[in-house]
């Protein structure tokens, strides 16, 4: 008997793949919002075409093929999504005027829950935390789209070269050649795909507690001791990026609107398989949404902070746009 889904059970079989497909589209595009749209388009295409599904591959493989070609088509008319440090300009002075560019399609963080890497979700088998790390997704954006697709299908999803060739419309030899180039380019920009994302140590948990306290208490002096010497801070849509603990501390003193203890509230969230916080700013007796902050740790220090000011991200993370005084006091 064929395993081919019928009109009645197609969505029942395909729906559990939604989060892992969203993670796939996110790796391809660097945008959680684009990924959500592309997953919807993938399901619509699959629904319309399921009569042509002959069961020669698994339904999951078939869905990934559709998602990949949907992403490639979309990327034909879209630019890559960088972080400020990926624009090619040197690091900025902390006291230099902030320059904002809302025309750049900036990289976005993705909530762990949407990407299927939260808790004990079975999709973690495919959607491992390693494969949605912020640094890795940022590095993927520097690859041409087809090269990006080949690398993801081969090294993240572990497809065979022949399967990838069929999915992207190339020969197996071309896939192997593209993969070699993609691996070489990626190694220059990002940790290896095979680098594990380990659970937080007690030392790192203590570091995060201290980090939150430093911001909420406006203890800028303590911030200097929490970063690695080569730490980077960047905050799209602002185009500057800042390197080194003292520069980051000076940036906080001179450019952050906070002026005193209690101006900021940090609420833990989970993004890109990394520690992250929703940052709220005190305003009109309560706290208003400010930014989503994603941290990369190295040992017992913070190596990178991406602070994302896109307002729509709070809704994406399922967060309130404001905290009431009662909620703020209870935190």
């Amino acid at each position: 008997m064929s395993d081919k889904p019928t009109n009645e059970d197609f969505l029942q079989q395909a729906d559990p793949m939604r989060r892992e497909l969203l993670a796939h589209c996110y790796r391809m595009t660097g945008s959680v919002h684009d990924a959500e749209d592309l997953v919807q388009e993938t399901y619509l295409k699959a629904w319309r075409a399921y009569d042509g599904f002959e069961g020669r591959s698994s339904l999951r493989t078939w869905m990934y093929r559709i998602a990949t070609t949907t992403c490639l088509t979309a990327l034909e008319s879209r630019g890559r999504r960088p972080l400020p440090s990926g624009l090619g300009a040197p690091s900025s002075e902390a006291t230099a005027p902030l320059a904002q560019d809302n025309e750049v399609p900036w990289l976005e963080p993705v909530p762990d829950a949407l990407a299927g890497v939260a808790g004990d979700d079975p999709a973690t088998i495919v959607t491992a935390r390693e494969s949605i790390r912020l640094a890795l997704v940022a590095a993927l954006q520097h690859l041409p789209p087809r090269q990006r697709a080949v690398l993801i299908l081969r090294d993240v999803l572990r497809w065979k070269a022949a399967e990838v060739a069929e999915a992207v419309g190339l020969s197996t030899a071309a896939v192997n050649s593209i993969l070699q180039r993609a691996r070489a380019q990626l190694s220059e920009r990002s940790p290896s795909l095979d680098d594990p994302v380990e659970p937080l140590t007690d030392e790192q948990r203590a570091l995060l507690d201290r980090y939150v306290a430093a911001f909420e208490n406006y203890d800028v002096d303590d911030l200097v001791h929490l970063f690695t010497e080569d730490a980077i801070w960047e905050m799209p849509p602002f185009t500057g990026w800042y390197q080194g603990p003292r520069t980051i501390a000076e940036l906080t003193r001179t450019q952050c609107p906070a002026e005193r203890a209690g101006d900021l509230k940090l609420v833990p969230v989970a993004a890109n398989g990394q520690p992250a916080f929703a940052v709220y700013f005190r305003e009109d007796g309560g706290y208003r949404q400010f930014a989503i902050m994603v941290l990369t740790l190295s040992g017992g220090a913070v190596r990178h902070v991406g602070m994302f000011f896109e307002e729509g991200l709070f809704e994406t993370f399922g967060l309130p746009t404001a905290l009431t005084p009662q909620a703020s006091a209870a935190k």
Side-chain angles (χ1 to χ4, degrees):
M1 180 180 292
S2 172
D3 291 331
K4 177 180 174 179
T6 65
N7 188 47
E8 289 76 22
D9 66 11
F10 169 75
L11 287 179
Q12 183 178 358
Q13 292 190 39
D15 223 40
M17 307 173 201
R18 191 172 293 271
R19 282 181 287 184
E20 62 183 87
L21 287 170
L22 186 139
H24 178 59
C25 293
Y26 172 70
R27 295 184 203 101
M28 285 291 297
T29 63
S31 166
V32 62
H33 296 114
D34 286 354
E36 288 177 318
D37 291 343
L38 291 166
V39 168
Q40 287 297 104
E41 188 176 344
T42 295
Y43 274 80
L44 181 59
K45 288 180 177 179
W47 173 259
R48 290 172 174 169
Y50 83 95
D51 279 338
F53 174 59
E54 299 176 351
R56 290 182 298 174
S57 65
S58 69
L59 181 63
R60 173 173 275 103
T61 298
W62 186 66
M63 293 292 290
Y64 268 101
R65 284 178 188 155
I66 296 173
T68 300
T69 56
T70 301
C71 287
L72 288 173
T73 299
L75 289 168
E76 289 176 359
S77 58
R78 302 179 193 181
R80 68 182 180 90
R81 287 183 171 269
L83 286 172
S85 59
L87 294 177
S91 60
S92 305
E93 297 292 332
T95 56
L98 297 180
Q100 186 170 337
D101 191 339
N102 291 312
E103 299 302 315
V104 174
W106 297 104
L107 184 73
E108 298 172 350
V110 64
D112 282 8
L114 282 184
V117 297
D120 298 322
D121 194 314
T124 54
I125 296 171
V126 175
T127 315
R129 280 180 166 82
E130 290 91 333
S131 69
I132 59 165
R133 286 171 296 170
L134 198 65
L136 176 61
V137 177
L140 287 171
Q141 301 308 300
H142 290 270
L143 301 177
R146 197 170 297 274
Q147 203 174 98
R148 199 181 310 166
V150 167
L151 182 86
I152 292 169
L153 293 173
R154 284 286 281 128
D155 286 359
V156 175
L157 299 179
R158 305 297 182 184
W159 284 21
K160 297 177 181 178
E163 293 174 315
V164 177
E166 184 176 352
V168 299
L170 296 170
S171 68
T172 300
V175 163
N176 289 332
S177 177
I178 287 174
L179 179 64
Q180 193 172 27
R181 293 198 303 272
R183 284 172 174 168
Q185 290 186 52
L186 194 70
S187 67
E188 298 173 0
R189 296 183 175 273
S190 172
S192 167
L193 268 167
D194 296 324
D195 287 348
V197 175
E198 302 290 351
L200 293 176
T201 64
D202 290 342
E203 179 188 18
Q204 289 173 330
R205 294 183 188 281
L207 167 70
L208 293 175
D209 289 342
R210 189 175 168 189
Y211 183 89
V212 171
F215 274 98
E216 294 191 340
N217 297 328
Y218 198 63
D219 187 352
V220 181
D221 290 336
D222 196 33
L223 281 179
V224 175
H225 306 293
L226 304 183
F227 291 91
T228 63
E229 284 302 312
D230 60 350
I232 290 175
W233 179 288
E234 44 196 336
M235 45 188 189
F238 299 100
T239 57
W241 60 282
Y242 307 86
Q243 188 160 32
R246 288 168 182 77
T247 300
I248 294 169
E250 185 65 16
L251 177 75
T252 305
R253 283 196 184 93
T254 59
Q255 308 284 11
C256 179
E259 297 177 345
R260 62 186 70 86
D263 278 352
L264 297 176
K265 289 289 182 185
L266 273 63
V267 177
V269 294
N272 294 84
Q274 301 173 219
F277 299 95
V279 183
Y280 290 85
F281 183 73
R282 181 158 57 185
E283 182 181 293
D284 299 330
Y287 287 85
R288 295 286 178 182
Q289 66 178 35
F290 188 60
I292 299 292
M293 182 188 289
V294 182
L295 278 62
T296 302
L297 306 183
S298 178
V302 179
R303 188 179 69 204
H304 181 273
V305 175
M307 195 162 182
F308 300 87
F309 285 94
E310 184 183 341
E311 289 188 356
L313 286 173
F314 274 69
E315 181 180 356
T316 301
F317 275 80
L319 296 165
T321 58
L323 297 178
T324 63
Q326 293 84 356
S328 301
K331 177 187 169 295

